[in-house]
Amino acid sequence: MPLKKYDKILVINSGSSSLKFTLFSMTTKTVLAKGLVERIGGPNANLVYQRDGESKMTQGISAENHGKALAMACKMLVDPKNGVLKSLKEVNAIGHRVLHGGEDFSDPVVVTEDVKEVIKKCADLGPLHNPVNLEGIVACETVFTNVPNVAVFDTAFHQTMPKYAYMYALPQKYYDEYHIRKYGFHGTSHKFVAYATAEFLKKPLEELNLIICHLGNGSSIAAIRKGKVLDTSMGLTPLPGLIMGTRCGDIDPAIIFFLARKGLSVDEIDNVLNKQSGLMGINGIDSGDMRDTINAAQQGKAAAQNAIDMFGHRTALYIGGYFTLVGGADAVIFTGGIGENSAPARKAIISRLEALGCKLDEVKNQEVCGTAGVISTDSSKLPAIVIPTNEELMIASETFQLLATTLKK
Ligand code: ADP
């Protein structure tokens, strides 16, 4: 079985004005190099690049589109001084993060013309991401001829949700005609963390009930029953659920009509809910960053403290509901930039979970930062555990596994 055939896997995550890349060796499970092109299409595009174990380099480049951005990234990967490859021919496969797979994909797929059509079709559901994700794929097809591209969908892991969890109580015709339902996002992260938790607890994932809190700029919770997603807090779009950096999460939907009647246009309301709300809207310091919010609260700013309390209250509300729905959880898991690093944010949540038998260990909570570890007391019936996520490694592994099994057939 020539597994080596898929040793070097490039992972591409293309956003509206950025393209992130990570080159893995799957034999050694290491990152050879990674980087990002930012401000694509603008006058001040940048390439940030880092070889494994070395410091970051940043240089100004010209990148008018995603194709040019990829070309600049590739040039760096084969650069005689700073590169890690002799030739781009060493890249065996490419894994792409794609936001929305609709109801069509519950697993990664090798990209074909038909798959590209579905990604295009799903742009209706993910208008900000799917078109640029596709641009990343097309750019790779041009640069890397005869190298398989695999699409890994952010919605895929959540496709196990039962109908009673994913339907909205709207007239049925909107589901039938427009596919309006809950899809959920951060699926690649939730899947990685679910498996990593099973490894941490030394139990098969199929036997575990978990509540996974992915807390970053965007935040979502997944309820996992016997290893499968039962429910999640994001919906048709990444807007609902938890209080996020700049997104409001759950609100009374009638607020939208109320604001419209006050004279705001649909686009203005969209902007308010997605870009000016969440921590940014309420913490009084005009920043969507949790670190800034905590610093402001520590300096006595009441609005910032209230933002942290709201964040903790909302997250605990979901944990309580999901704990019931999964029939009692084996653990509640914290991941993402906030979940992995922010002791005060975790405290704001866990201090509200005592009724579930989850009690914070203040010392461990301070100690665990960016690594895996238990942060609840030994006597807690429901352990709270930090498990760092790694979406890029998950995409590389899924790409590798898909191609290795396709090869076997
Ligand atoms: P994204 O959703 O963009 O991937 P991240 O997962 O990187 O975001 O999370 C970003 C959030 O994590 C920010 O609110 C940031 O303040 C927070 N964060 C990162 N490191 C720390 C830290 N050491 N302490 C507190 N918050 C942190």
Side-chain angles (χ1 to χ4, degrees), residues 12 14 96 98 111 116 119 132-142 149-151:
I12 298 288
S14 65
H96 296 266
V98 180
V111 175
K116 284 197 277 183
I119 296 174
V132 283
N133 297 155
L134 196 55
E135 263 187 62
I137 292 174
V138 172
C140 285
E141 285 175 334
T142 315
N149 286 279
V150 169

Side-chain angles (χ1 to χ4, degrees), residues 20 186 214-219 245 279 288-292 294 335-345 369 389 391:
K20 289 188 194 150
H186 290 142
H214 175 114
L215 310 175
N217 283 319
S219 297
L279 296 178
D289 195 282
M290 182 55 91
R291 254 174 304 198
D292 297 344
I294 287 163
T335 196
I338 296 171
E340 290 167 31
N341 301 298
S342 181
C369 182
T389 192
E391 287 169 278

